[in-house]
Amino acid sequence: MSRTRWRFGLAATAFLVTAGLMPAPAHAEDTADYAITVDPAAKGAKIDDTMYGVFFEDINRAADGGLYAELVQNRSFEYSTDDNRSYTPLTSWTVDGTGQVVNDDGRLNARNRNYLSLAAGSTVTNAGYNTGVHVEEGKKYDFSVWVRAESGTTLTVSLQDADGGLATARQVAAKGGWAKYKATFTATRTSSNGRLTVASSAAAALDMVSLFPRDTYKHQANGLRKDLAEKIAALQPGFVRFPGGCLVNTGSMEDYSEASGYQRKRSYQWKDTIGPVEERATNSNFWGYNQSYGLGYYEYFRLSEDIGAMPLPVVPALVTGCGQNQAVDDEVLLKRHIQDTLDLIEFANGPVTSTWGKKRARMGHPKPFHLTHIEVGNEENLPVEFFARFKEFRAAIAAKYPDITVISNSGPDDAGSTFDTAWQLNKDAKVDMVDEHYYNSPQWFLQNNDRYDSYDRSGPKVFLGEYASWGNAFKNGLTEAAFMTGLERNADVVKLASYAPLFANEDYVQWQPDLVWFNNHASWNSANYEVQKLFMTNVGDRVVPSTATGTPSLTGPIAGAVGLSTWATTAAYDDVKVTDADGNSLLSDDFSGDASKWTHTGAGSWSVQDGQYVQTDVAAENTMVSAGDTNWHDYDLQVKATKKSGKEGFLVAFGVKDTGNYYWWNLGGWNNTQSAVEQAVDGGKSTLISKAGSVETGRAYDIDIKVRGRQVTLYLDGQEWGSFTDDKPAEPFRQVVTKDKKSGDLIVKVVNAQSTAARTAIDLGGAKVASKARVTTLTADPNAVNSETETPVAPVTSTFDGVAGRFTYTFPENSVTFLRIKQR
């Protein structure tokens, strides 16, 4: 996950139809004609069982307060301002009486630094996650706490909400040095607003205050929240990629020890996350909270095994990303991380007689986990520095474990200089597999179904480790489905693919869209989840070659007004001129008077100062002002821009239709490290062209953008910076056919991402088939979004009786349809 793109993730949805690139929406009764021709005698690409999987990253409180079923927040009093400026060691706790968090030699152990010193007669209450501690009537809950009470104490432990008790209170007698004490509750009522209270009759030290539901997923010791784990299992994923994401390649690469000063902001390092939970290190989560590591590598491996998926861990390569972009130059540290990676493989696969295999066995799993793939690094923006380190990891792994597939990556975007450099390095070094990541507009996914058609069949294979369109509406799922037909068609190149991210707690969101949403008492599938599940549970073993007719498209010129904006930066603009192709003036503003020609639709604060139009709020993001006519086309836009202060450069927009639909030249974006032209479609952005580069503070830049038809040429200080032609059709009708070896079924998968039914002549190429097909259909309003209370996007199964060698089927508007056809 790239933090530099987080700012675009807050757009709710993206619209499928953009001017000139797709047919205009038709009435529901309208029908378009298509044809699909299948060649069952030809052999398409083999599809691996591991084709589709899931990516778990602790983002949006996906672990603590999510998949990890612990009900007590900040159970070991380790929250810190390092995690979040608002945190204290008593965050989520309320003390009645006298109690303070202590960090001294009386602690439970060296890695668990803090504990609570509670005075006689005092109580401490935990607020849980979301609205509180959730319990269900009749269910059992296991309480535990570590206590040090030299003179002895009686702890009274209770569960209650505003309406009274939720279970019979329990008393625990404790005396002596640190020891673990337990009790069990049976809930007498259901509540999502519970509080856990511990009262002490005498002075005592408390740590690791815990409450777990007895009813967890498969293994109680694994401690996974049942409904969330079941949603993963229902996808039948081929692999589980973990633990990140930006967690892997950000922060310090040091360990958690006295020698390093107990670094809190560290990269995710697997050895911190195994062994007894009270001895696991705490860490600052990149996404702005704390991670306890109660859910760690052992639990990830167990989850993967439980759901029949291949584990695919990601380890740091000592080059930070996600906006940090630093290469760690420390040979000793590099060798330590390489050894840690070798130890990880031994932990997963080694015999019980090995050092790390023995540790696995002691945790309860003597059998190996059968690790076959491991990824080094995540979205590094410094490809040369990353690859130098990657080669050292790969060499060490190959020398000891030659059967392990070592996966590299191509940076955080689908194109650009970082992507190109990384791919060339991977090709030259004959890397086995390269991880690509991208988050783009729905239109991009419709336009790029053929992305992998031209990839080198003899080069590195592709792991599409993170992808999504910007939004959780059904229209987003539709365009992702259209794209996935291209992934399957190219299954000889694309070997693994996973939507990202997996989970989001609705009250702790750092990134959206997300596959599964939840709170402390419920969870629900997004429209995107339903699309993923349909593909993942109907993969097939081999592609059956097929062709389809397309949708006639009318491509008009890029049209729209012009705009100015900033992002976490103050900037001044002057001498804006727009002229048509014949040189006639459409707009001229030197800001010698007011700014009445401009409409302010974004954030920030704009004013005319000393003959310039100035945006003065250094913290504001997307401060768009616009001027002109949305019907303008074939024009030149000229403007002078000067950065005054802040993190980035400036943004000059063209083709502006409204607040969510425009193009802009983002100069000095991504923390002033690169410039790019981005296209926004209802707020969802895609990068059309990008280059490395920064913007100087205080320097006036001459910007000239020439729009001709659908071609745009950009000039910076009189020199051509780049050009592009945005004329790729966003084809709404996509299909792929696969064959399931076990059942013999032909699976015809069709996406119709338009507001017109698609009457389709299907020719099965002489295949002998049964007359009935099992049909699964996803269809809904394009803007439909699933929620806790409403599920407008859900699969419907039916039977179609009209199958023959040649037959016609009408695919509904805005639909994903799978026909499973028996071969005779």
Side-chain angles (χ1 to χ4, degrees), residues 561-576:
V562 298
L564 310 171
S565 189
T566 59
W567 203 289
T569 302
T570 66
Y573 294 93
D574 201 0
D575 295 334
V576 180

Side-chain angles (χ1 to χ4, degrees), residues 7 27 79 84 102 235 247 339 390 396 418 487 508 582 620 753 794:
R7 66 191 197 187
H27 295 294
Y79 276 26
N84 189 295
V102 181
L235 293 169
L247 304 188
Q339 185 59 52
F390 171 84
T418 296
L487 299 183
Y508 308 94
D582 296 324

